[in-house]
Amino acid sequence: MTVERFPIEAGHILLFARAIGDPNPIYADPDTAVAPPTFVQASAQFDPDYSLRPKPGQPWMGSAKEPSQLAGGRDEGGSGGSRSGGTGLHAEQHYEYHRPLRPGDVLSATSRPGETWEREGKRGGKMTFSENIIEYRDQKGELVVTARSVGVRTGQVVA
Amino acid sequence: MGLSAAKVKVGDTHEQVLVDDLTRTQLVMYAGASGDYNPLHSDELYAREQAGYPGVFAHGMLTMGMTGRAVTDLVGADRLKKYGGRFRVQVWPGDTLTATVTVDAVRDEGGEHLVDLSVVTVNQKGEQVFTGNATALIDA
């Protein structure tokens, strides 16, 4: 994932705070707003190629007349999933904050893969874990947030 | 506004209900705000018939975001240095989630006053859905 321009906007912070059920008035006032702890996840909105957003004229894995006309859509881990096969899920997420983010900041994000490892799971068969590290920088090029996610792919549906 | 070092002790806990009877509509709100439109979280037909789940379930990041509120309510919204954790089991519509934040350490590092916290979010059955840690700046 590469995001060239992720503007931190007061209205977006308000909508995000509502979505996580956080009524803290700090998020509703553009003069006091800071980004909630997990807000950089919303950089997906500014990734033109983000796979988990429907795009006009392109097939989408979700339902319309039928559950899905498409075999093997993408799933939460972002890398394939189908009815009979396993599924990808978000296993861990870690953030390091170098400073608070406020409306007016304009970030860019670059990601790189981290480690990959395997483990036998109790419920899901063989589990494959993979790390992804995203660095968010401000318009001066200063590192503001480092995000490390761990995704897991399982051999069967886990629920 | 942050926590004052004089007012925080190792072992202090702060418990907070994050959501009571989670709605599918809130999953849609989170999809719209975050930009993660994975139909596993909003499309019941897809989640059941195509993906093979009992139904839609919450984005892990919604649970982590809601849990973050318990941390920022305690330390202040602009005080976090670190926040992270693991998604343990899925969160489903109808779930009620409660977070408990515990003070693990109060320390100084590089001229900053810091508090280390652990956080556990459980559902109405007492199952841990998210476990994590946070470090925040506090006032002298």
Side-chain angles (χ1 to χ4, degrees):
Chain A
M1 182 199 85
T2 299
V3 176
E4 288 180 8
R5 191 170 187 281
F6 170 29
I8 308 298
E9 296 162 336
H12 195 186
I13 288 174
L14 172 62
L15 299 185
F16 193 91
R18 282 181 182 159
I20 59 171
D22 191 334
N24 188 337
I26 197 173
Y27 298 125
D29 181 347
D31 293 331
T32 60
V34 295
T38 60
F39 184 76
V40 291
Q41 216 64 20
S43 61
Q45 297 278 21
F46 300 92
D47 177 355
D49 302 320
Y50 188 60
S51 65
L52 294 173
R53 180 178 65 242
K55 297 173 191 71
Q58 293 183 25
W60 175 244
M61 61 188 175
S63 69
K65 281 182 188 159
E66 300 293 331
S68 176
Q69 290 84 357
L70 307 167
R74 294 171 76 82
D75 51 16
E76 192 160 34
S79 54
S82 62
R83 185 180 170 78
S84 56
T87 189
L89 294 170
H90 199 169
E92 296 180 37
Q93 181 67 49
H94 304 271
Y95 297 107
E96 227 178 298
Y97 308 98
H98 307 286
R99 69 164 174 85
L101 303 178
R102 299 183 188 277
D105 283 326
V106 181
L107 310 189
S108 59
T110 52
S111 71
R112 58 187 159 86
E115 291 179 31
T116 301
W117 64 98
E118 285 183 355
R119 187 153 68 78
E120 285 301 317
K122 292 188 193 90
R123 295 181 297 163
K126 189 174 85 172
M127 301 161 78
T128 305
F129 295 86
S130 52
E131 253 180 353
N132 188 52
I133 293 131
I134 303 177
E135 290 186 343
Y136 294 88
R137 292 179 183 275
D138 65 14
Q139 55 270 59
K140 294 177 197 154
E142 305 265 351
L143 187 62
V144 289
V145 178
T146 308
R148 180 171 64 87
S149 68
V150 178
V152 58
R153 288 200 52 74
T154 58
Q156 58 201 61
V157 165
V158 178
Chain B
M1 276 295 290
L3 270 181
S4 142
K7 287 188 184 159
V8 59
K9 290 194 304 293
V10 172
D12 284 353
T13 61
H14 162 76
E15 188 180 290
Q16 190 166 339
V17 175
L18 305 175
V19 64
D20 179 10
D21 195 4
L22 177 68
T23 61
R24 289 168 180 80
T25 306
Q26 190 168 352
L27 308 191
V28 171
M29 287 171 77
Y30 185 77
S34 69
D36 179 347
Y37 299 100
N38 189 331
L40 278 178
H41 307 301
S42 58
D43 186 335
E44 195 77 25
L45 202 54
Y46 171 85
R48 268 202 327 266
E49 304 292 325
Q50 177 70 14
Y53 286 94
V56 295
F57 54 93
H59 303 72
M61 288 309 301
L62 172 56
T63 302
M64 184 172 177
M66 291 192 291
T67 301
R69 176 187 166 203
V71 176
T72 53
D73 276 1
L74 185 68
V75 302
D78 57 355
R79 294 305 183 99
L80 275 181
K81 302 284 280 182
K82 285 184 184 175
Y83 175 43
R86 301 175 71 175
F87 307 102
R88 299 288 180 168
V89 297
Q90 278 133 327
V91 169
W92 304 94
D95 279 359
T96 292
L97 303 183
T98 305
T100 303
V101 183
T102 303
V103 176
D104 290 338
V106 181
R107 61 192 172 89
D108 291 340
E109 186 182 293
E112 292 179 327
H113 306 295
L114 300 171
V115 62
D116 292 323
L117 308 165
S118 53
V119 57
V120 177
T121 297
V122 298
N123 62 20
Q124 68 282 2
K125 293 183 271 187
E127 294 170 321
Q128 296 184 352
V129 297
F130 177 81
T131 56
N133 295 91
T135 297
L137 288 167
I138 53 175
D139 297 329

